[in-house]
Amino acid sequence: MAANSKVKTILVTQPKPETEKNPYFDLAKKFNVKIDFQPFIQIEGIPAKDFRKDRVNVAEFQAVILTSRQAADHYFRMASEMRMTNFDEVKFFCVSESTAFYLQKYVVYRKRKIYVGLKDFADMSPLIKKYKDEKFLLPASDQLNIDAPITLNNLKVDWTQATFYKTVMSDLSDLKDVYY
């Protein structure tokens, strides 16, 4: 790139922010550039019909490990599609505090039923070990981080991984003649 050329457009590979109060719009105003938001990947839920083929009954698990907000959304979507409504006895193990607070969207937030790790999956080991007699469900993507299965296997707990959503490539054909 030549020293005197000027940046006119910037591509951000994320969804467009919902509010105008964010650093991207401040940057666009300050430097008079156009910012395009185009996510390169999307998350799609697995249909209940396909999920049933895996023979995982969501209602038979007393403990659910949620690694993200996406996992929470798709767990409750699938539970709804399978007509499971009683979450009073289910224990939720969340990787982060933000995921735990997000659960308020679906269940009454009670500290005795929601257990929170510090920031990564390994931080939840003492919490999971404390309830090792429970049957754990790990709602996950088709692209699961390898840390989760290794940690759960090392703890020797009864757990099942189920694919609730998948990561797919976005259609980028509209960017064919655009240069950044």
Side-chain angles (χ1 to χ4, degrees):
M1 189 188 242
N4 60 359
S5 67
K6 185 178 175 190
V7 174
K8 294 179 181 129
T9 57
I10 299 173
L11 174 65
V12 177
T13 60
Q14 299 179 17
K16 186 174 183 174
E18 295 173 11
T19 64
E20 297 290 319
K21 286 190 151 199
N22 67 66
Y24 295 114
F25 293 116
D26 295 341
L27 188 69
K29 279 182 193 172
K30 183 177 180 181
F31 294 104
N32 194 26
V33 294
K34 180 180 180 238
I35 299 182
D36 292 331
F37 294 91
Q38 178 68 45
F40 282 10
I41 60 170
Q42 293 176 203
I43 304 295
E44 289 182 357
I46 302 289
K49 181 179 120 184
D50 295 341
F51 183 77
R52 285 187 180 99
K53 290 178 186 174
D54 291 340
R55 304 234 185 264
V56 175
N57 182 3
V58 174
E60 71 183 37
F61 294 91
Q62 307 92 0
V64 178
I65 302 169
L66 298 172
T67 56
S68 68
R69 291 179 180 196
Q70 291 287 344
D73 285 339
H74 291 286
Y75 169 77
F76 286 103
R77 176 190 56 84
M78 192 63 67
S80 173
E81 287 182 27
M82 299 179 103
R83 295 180 180 86
M84 180 186 162
T85 56
N86 187 9
F87 299 106
D88 292 340
E89 299 302 315
V90 178
K91 294 175 182 73
F92 294 100
F93 294 81
C94 301
V95 172
S96 68
E97 199 170 284
S98 67
T99 305
F101 285 135
Y102 187 72
L103 283 180
Q104 293 178 71
K105 181 176 177 181
Y106 299 104
V107 295
V108 176
Y109 191 86
R110 287 187 239 152
K111 293 205 181 256
R112 61 191 161 103
K113 298 286 184 182
I114 297 175
Y115 306 93
V116 184
L118 297 175
K119 68 176 182 178
D120 61 13
F121 201 87
D123 293 337
M124 290 194 311
S125 295
L127 299 170
I128 293 172
K129 201 177 216 180
K130 186 176 177 183
Y131 295 96
K132 64 182 175 187
D133 296 332
E134 301 284 346
K135 197 169 182 183
F136 290 89
L137 175 65
L138 178 63
S141 163
D142 57 342
Q143 306 289 319
L144 180 65
N145 187 333
I146 195 70
D147 294 343
I150 290 172
T151 302
L152 290 169
N153 286 335
N154 288 342
L155 292 172
K156 296 180 177 42
V157 294
D158 183 9
W159 70 282
T160 301
Q161 175 188 337
T163 302
F164 281 69
Y165 55 100
K166 60 185 175 181
T167 306
V168 294
M169 296 294 295
S170 294
D171 179 22
L172 301 176
S173 60
D174 56 327
L175 296 177
K176 188 165 60 170
D177 297 324
V178 180
Y179 301 97
Y180 292 95

